Amino acid sequence: MDNWKITAEELIRLRESCLQCIRDGELYELRNDAKLRAVYSTQNYEEFKNIVDAAHLRPVTKGDKANFKTKNRLWNSAARD
């Protein structure tokens, strides 16, 4: 029966795997909702794709800009590429 003991490392990996599945599911739902909205509101595929690709983004608030921890963050990471 000792072969059935679960180690702390296995529990950590299992937890991370479960959390990743939850995050993946949430992203899927966000993107799917964006697709359903974009089907009726876009004129071409490029607009459609942009809406779906940006589905997970949230607007930057004044609080985010003023927060000490996030004040110096590079808000547009694509700009440095």
Side-chain angles (χ1 to χ4, degrees):
M1 281 296 178
D2 288 335
N3 295 342
W4 295 99
K5 289 185 178 178
I6 297 175
T7 66
E9 292 82 20
E10 290 172 324
L11 284 174
I12 291 170
R13 282 196 308 267
L14 178 61
R15 179 181 183 274
E16 290 303 317
S17 176
C18 290
L19 290 173
Q20 186 59 49
C21 286
I22 291 169
R23 287 189 293 267
D24 291 346
E26 290 171 347
L27 181 59
Y28 173 84
E29 290 296 325
L30 285 171
R31 292 176 57 87
N32 192 56
D33 290 346
K35 288 176 187 178
L36 295 174
R37 284 191 313 273
V39 163
Y40 297 107
S41 65
T42 57
Q43 300 295 316
N44 57 45
Y45 178 75
E46 185 175 337
E47 287 179 22
F48 175 87
K49 183 179 180 312
N50 288 339
I51 289 172
V52 173
D53 288 347
H56 67 287
L57 301 176
R58 297 286 175 252
V60 177
T61 65
K62 287 183 181 180
D64 292 331
K65 293 177 186 177
N67 185 333
F68 175 75
K69 293 180 181 177
T70 60
K71 191 172 187 171
N72 294 322
R73 180 178 291 169
L74 179 61
W75 291 104
N76 185 359
S77 60
R80 66 177 164 185
D81 290 339

